[in-house]
């Protein structure tokens, strides 16, 4: 549980293992607290201000990365394997493809469940 391995799925269906790519993956830290410590190891933020900054969205770091790591940690703790879906799409009126991603895919009760993690905090 040092790291949580999350594989890309080329064809999102309830049989995720059949369409997973072992060479296209994301690796999340198994402990989000350690991730935050690593991010802030060169920062001069004092301990008591750290949690206030995280909660209010004023950390000055990539909160999306932290929240994705938290969700990955929670899903693994519940016994789910981690998968994501990366795909390219050309929006209407555009000439070039853009890369999109569904953060996590899990199968629950035989149904495919996409999970999108958002980090926007509005106070």
């Amino acid at each position: 549980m040092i790291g949580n391995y999350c594989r890309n799925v080329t064809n999102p269906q309830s049989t995720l293992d059949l369409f997973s790519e072992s060479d296209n993956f994301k690796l999340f830290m198994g402990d989000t607290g350690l991730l935050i410590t690593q991010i802030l190891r060169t920062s001069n933020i004092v301990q008591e201000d750290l949690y206030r900054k995280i909660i209010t969205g004023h950390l000055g770091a990539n909160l999306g990365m932290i929240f994705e790591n938290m969700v990955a940690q929670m899903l693994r703790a519940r016994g789910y394997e981690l998968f994501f879906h990366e795909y390219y799409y050309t929006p209407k009126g555009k000439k070039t493809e853009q890369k999109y991603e569904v953060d996590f895919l899990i199968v629950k009760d035989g149904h495919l469940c996409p999970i999108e993690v958002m980090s926007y905090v509005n106070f």
Side-chain angles (χ1 to χ4, degrees):
M1 295 298 290
I2 293 173
N4 292 316
Y5 180 59
C6 183
R7 294 176 282 163
N8 182 49
V9 174
T10 58
N11 187 2
Q13 296 183 18
S14 60
T15 52
L16 293 170
D17 275 324
L18 290 177
F19 299 102
S20 68
E21 298 178 314
S22 60
D23 60 340
N24 185 1
F25 63 92
K26 297 189 287 186
L27 187 61
F28 296 97
M29 289 188 75
D31 185 325
T32 303
L34 287 177
L35 173 63
I36 293 171
T37 300
Q38 288 297 315
I39 291 169
L40 299 176
R41 73 176 186 265
T42 58
S43 174
N44 58 0
I45 298 175
V46 291
Q47 180 97 20
E48 50 272 1
D49 290 335
L50 174 63
Y51 294 106
R52 188 177 310 112
K53 288 181 181 291
I54 291 172
I55 291 170
T56 61
H58 294 98
L59 184 59
N62 181 350
L63 291 178
M65 171 182 59
I66 294 169
F67 288 144
E68 270 192 50
N69 200 90
M70 288 170 39
V71 172
Q73 186 178 351
M74 289 186 285
L75 290 171
R76 285 298 298 139
R78 297 283 297 172
Y80 290 104
E81 286 188 62
L82 301 178
F83 298 94
F84 71 102
H85 179 54
E86 182 178 83
Y87 61 97
Y88 292 88
Y89 174 74
T90 304
K92 189 175 183 176
K94 302 279 184 173
K95 294 184 180 184
T96 57
E97 280 187 325
Q98 294 180 342
K99 183 171 134 178
Y100 294 91
E101 179 181 290
V102 177
D103 293 324
F104 297 100
L105 295 171
I106 62 169
V107 175
K108 184 171 182 170
D109 300 327
H111 294 91
L112 184 64
C113 301
I115 300 170
E116 185 65 28
V117 179
M118 304 301 286
S119 63
Y120 181 73
V121 178
N122 186 15
F123 288 96

